[in-house]
Amino acid sequence: MYLPEVLRRAGVDMPVPAGAGDLAITGITADSRAVRPGMIFAALHGTHMDGRAYIPQAMTNGAVAVLVDAVPACDLSPGIMPIRVSDARHALAVIARVLTPHVPGFIAAVTGTNGKTSTVEFLRQIWTLMGLPAGTIGTLGAVAPCPLPDCGPVLTTPDSVGLMRMLGAMAENGVGHVAIEASSHGLEQRRLDGLAPYAAGFSNLTRDHLDYHGTTEHYRAAKLRLFDTVLPEGGIAAINADMDAATCAAIADIARRRNLVLRSTGEQGTTLRLLDVRPTPTGQVLRILTPAMVHDVTVPLAGRFQVDNMLLAAAMADRDAAGPDRAVPLLAHLHGVRGRMERVAVLPGGAAAYVDYAHTPDALERLLHSLRPHTAGRLVVVMGAGGDRDRGKRPVMGATATRLADRVIVTDDNPRTEQPDTIRAAIMAAAPGAVEIGDRRRAIAAGLDMLGTGDVLVVAGKGHEQGQVVGHDVLPFDDATVIRGLTGNE
Ligand SMILES: CC(=O)N[C@H]1[C@@H](OP(=O)(O)OP(=O)(O)OC[C@H]2O[C@@H](n3ccc(=O)[nH]c3=O)[C@H](O)[C@@H]2O)O[C@H](CO)[C@@H](O)[C@@H]1O[C@H](C)C(=O)N[C@@H](C)C(=O)N[C@H](CCC(=O)O)C(=O)O
Ligand SMILES: Nc1ncnc2c1ncn2[C@@H]1O[C@H](COP(=O)(O)OP(=O)(O)OP(=O)(O)O)[C@@H](O)[C@H]1O
Ligand SMILES: N[C@H](CCC[C@H](N)C(=O)O)C(=O)O
Ligand SMILES: [Mg+2]
């Protein structure tokens, strides 16, 4: 496709200079190292570096044009074809879409502090149960019933170019339904701006990532971009009506302005209203009211928060208004998500050990509440907090663990470039009576040693993760494997 056509389709409004008409565009990238002849290089201002410094390398590698923000102005040497726009990250995403011939016809995107991975995974399972080839893109990587390209290190929301490559591969292989996790970083950095999802979901908004967004308002605004910018007018806005009132009100307001179809779930929901939840030894019995009927469904998963995620997934499963009623009975067949309240071992005395990905104060609170009905004896938690991430959540998590568990062991969880004992100290300061054991394997062993009949251990924070990030190294580590090894449940 020639440059003028690319710009026209992407809605980039700029006069095309003489000579640009015969530039055939082969692709676009924001990484100078990935430039190949005929590509556009997007020179982005990042958190650590300024992409403009890499323009010479991009040109050497064969870039034919450079996409930059018009402000602040920068001089580009003559001979470089400039594409100056008001928002280069947005333009990158839209151009990446223009250069991708096919993407799946039914894309749903889910945002929220907690529950994104679980919700997109439940959506994929619901679609699959409906007989539709379906995939997901998110924290667990990309999952689909077809071969997929390697798009480098996994982010919750891939960069816009990687995202389009993945969607293109899914579409080429007949996968028509895809559920994508929309992280606040991804939304803020416009990684999803090339998508036209038919539905967007919001699970909840609680504390996280204040290191990056600064304030809760900025954090909320980043997430709301999914509804006020990414979701096309007339699309489905599905929300958990039990989340904070300010976010619900903001979405209702956007829905009115943009003619979105609002669907709400939960105890205060109107599309799927949760009338009753009863925990059983193996799952939960739900009573759900819809505008059409009452459903009684037994789901095979424990954990109250999992019900919120299932209902949100069911509300998004179909464009058609009758879709949620078709999806609810399928909840009876869902499988649990790797590392989300996953029971990995049962000890001879009947005690159980779980692995979960709770890494925010609210997630930890809900996790411990969810486990209490399954705990005849004492509830023991092994927990930590990530380095180079929101420092303010550390004491809150320590206090939450102390309030809701009977025994707390504070350990390391991806210290990254921080001093691990400083992170632990911040948690310990709000966790009187907690035991501090930096080495995660020893901490898990100590937790298992504490268990008697009817007790429950939960190892929180790393879920499916396969490594402990120390400095810039990733040391192999899997909570579930460690528990199985220590208990002989291999
Ligand atoms: C803070 C953040 O989100 N950073 C992401 C961002 O990097 P950046 O734009 O700040 O990049 P930078 O390193 O400053 O470089 C600036 C520009 O120079 C370019 N460059 C750089 C070097 C070079 O040789 N040539 C070159 O062209 C880079 O490609 C980039 O375009 O864009 C990069 C490409 O997409 C991401 O890899 C990178 O993710 C980093 C590794 C990261 O850790 N991100 C985390 C915080 C993140 O995104 N997490 C979210 C949320 C998780 C959640 O809520 O659960 C996620 O979606 O995963
Ligand atoms: N609806 C929910 N409300 C509160 N906590 C939840 C909810 N769903 C899951 N959690 C908790 O959050 C943890 C992470 O869940 P999940 O991986 O689905 O969230 P996520 O939003 O994808 O997280 P991330 O931001 O890391 O991608 C779970 O292990 C559980 O402890
Ligand atoms: N074990 C984790 C969870 C990280 C979740 C991730 N989505 C993020 O905040 O980057 C950590 O804090 O390192
Ligand atoms: Mg996730």
Side-chain angles (χ1 to χ4, degrees):
M1 198 182 301
Y2 291 103
L3 183 62
E5 179 67 359
V6 172
L7 298 179
R8 190 187 61 74
R9 289 207 202 174
V12 174
D13 184 19
M14 63 170 256
V16 179
D22 54 5
L23 285 180
I25 302 302
T26 57
I28 188 165
T29 178
D31 186 344
S32 58
R33 293 158 292 194
V35 170
R36 299 289 172 267
M39 286 173 91
I40 300 171
F41 173 58
L44 305 178
H45 193 77
T47 328
H48 298 110
M49 308 186 218
D50 186 349
R52 293 168 200 216
Y54 298 101
I55 294 175
Q57 185 186 30
M59 301 308 288
T60 306
N61 286 348
V64 292
V66 173
L67 174 69
V68 282
D69 281 318
V71 179
C74 76
D75 289 333
L76 296 176
S77 26
I80 293 179
M81 167 68 62
I83 307 171
R84 295 182 198 275
V85 293
S86 58
D87 186 341
R89 284 182 187 270
H90 174 82
L92 166 67
V94 178
I95 292 174
R97 169 65 189 96
V98 166
L99 294 172
T100 308
H102 303 290
V103 298
F106 294 88
I107 291 175
V110 179
T111 196
T113 305
N114 295 302
K116 300 181 295 295
T117 297
S118 310
T119 304
V120 299
E121 172 58 18
F122 291 151
L123 248 177
R124 189 185 67 77
Q125 291 186 31
I126 291 170
W127 284 328
T128 305
L129 289 162
M130 288 174 165
L132 303 164
T136 54
I137 298 176
T139 315
L140 300 180
V143 177
C146 64
L148 294 170
D150 178 6
C151 288
V154 170
L155 289 170
T156 286
T157 303
D159 72 277
S160 43
V161 174
L163 184 58
M164 283 303 155
R165 194 176 320 132
M166 198 56 85
L167 289 170
M170 289 186 183
E172 299 294 340
N173 285 285
V175 174
H177 286 69
V178 180
I180 301 175
E181 282 185 58
S183 69
S184 57
H185 292 73
L187 286 160
E188 178 77 24
Q189 294 168 22
R190 280 76 170 130
R191 297 179 201 160
L192 299 122
D193 280 19
L195 299 180
Y198 77 92
F202 206 130
S203 58
N204 49 62
L205 186 104
T206 57
R207 185 193 177 109
D208 204 10
H209 300 310
L210 294 190
D211 55 321
Y212 182 75
H213 297 286
T215 65
T216 303
E217 276 318 306
H218 288 147
Y219 179 43
R220 180 186 287 116
K223 291 202 173 287
L224 288 176
R225 284 195 79 250
L226 182 59
F227 297 83
D228 63 27
T229 307
V230 177
L231 181 66
E233 295 227 349
I236 294 166
I239 63 169
N240 163 18
D242 301 335
M243 71 179 162
D244 71 291
T247 305
C248 289
I251 296 174
D253 191 46
I254 296 167
R256 268 191 298 277
R257 269 193 289 118
R258 303 195 63 233
N259 204 20
L260 305 176
V261 178
L262 197 58
R263 291 186 184 166
S264 62
T265 60
E267 289 170 22
Q268 300 174 70
T270 51
T271 309
L272 295 174
R273 175 172 297 226
L274 186 60
L275 296 179
D276 191 36
V277 192
R278 246 177 331 109
T280 68
T282 54
Q284 302 176 77
V285 182
L286 314 181
R287 170 158 284 204
I288 298 160
L289 174 70
T290 77
M293 63 186 88
V294 172
H295 295 266
D296 289 302
V297 55
T298 301
V299 296
L301 303 176
R304 175 65 182 77
F305 64 83
Q306 311 245 43
V307 177
D308 289 342
N309 301 333
M310 287 176 203
L311 295 186
L312 191 63
M316 300 175 74
D318 205 315
R319 208 196 290 272
D320 181 44
D325 278 307
R326 282 198 294 275
V328 167
L330 302 176
L331 302 181
H333 307 289
L334 293 181
H335 304 292
V337 182
R338 172 88 171 84
R340 276 54 177 179
M341 217 170 139
E342 182 182 353
R343 195 169 66 174
V344 293
V346 177
L347 281 71
Y354 289 78
V355 165
D356 185 79
Y357 198 43
H359 52 78
T360 72
D362 186 56
L364 197 56
E365 172 147 4
R366 284 169 197 262
L367 169 69
L368 296 173
H369 275 306
S370 290
L371 284 170
R372 192 52 85 176
H374 301 276
T375 312
R378 291 173 314 169
L379 182 54
V380 183
V381 63
V382 172
M383 50 86 62
D388 301 336
R389 296 284 186 273
D390 187 0
R391 291 169 188 228
K393 71 181 176 183
R394 295 169 190 170
V396 192
M397 289 173 71
T400 302
T402 309
R403 183 163 44 89
L404 298 174
D406 302 306
R407 290 292 180 89
V408 180
I409 302 173
V410 176
T411 190
D412 291 342
D413 177 349
N414 297 335
R416 301 192 176 86
T417 64
E418 285 192 60
Q419 280 300 326
D421 45 2
T422 313
I423 302 173
R424 276 183 264 117
I427 302 171
M428 289 296 293
V435 179
E436 181 179 344
I437 306 176
D439 180 84
R440 198 168 174 96
R441 183 184 302 272
R442 285 209 302 113
I444 294 173
L448 288 167
D449 278 348
M450 286 178 188
L451 299 183
T453 307
D455 291 348
V456 165
L457 167 72
V458 60
V459 180
K462 293 181 72 64
H464 63 283
E465 289 179 358
Q466 293 296 299
Q468 181 80 301
V469 189
V470 181
H472 295 285
D473 298 326
V474 184
L475 313 175
F477 198 95
D478 174 21
D479 286 346
T481 305
V482 170
I483 293 172
R484 289 195 185 104
L486 289 167
T487 56
N489 275 253
E490 280 153 301

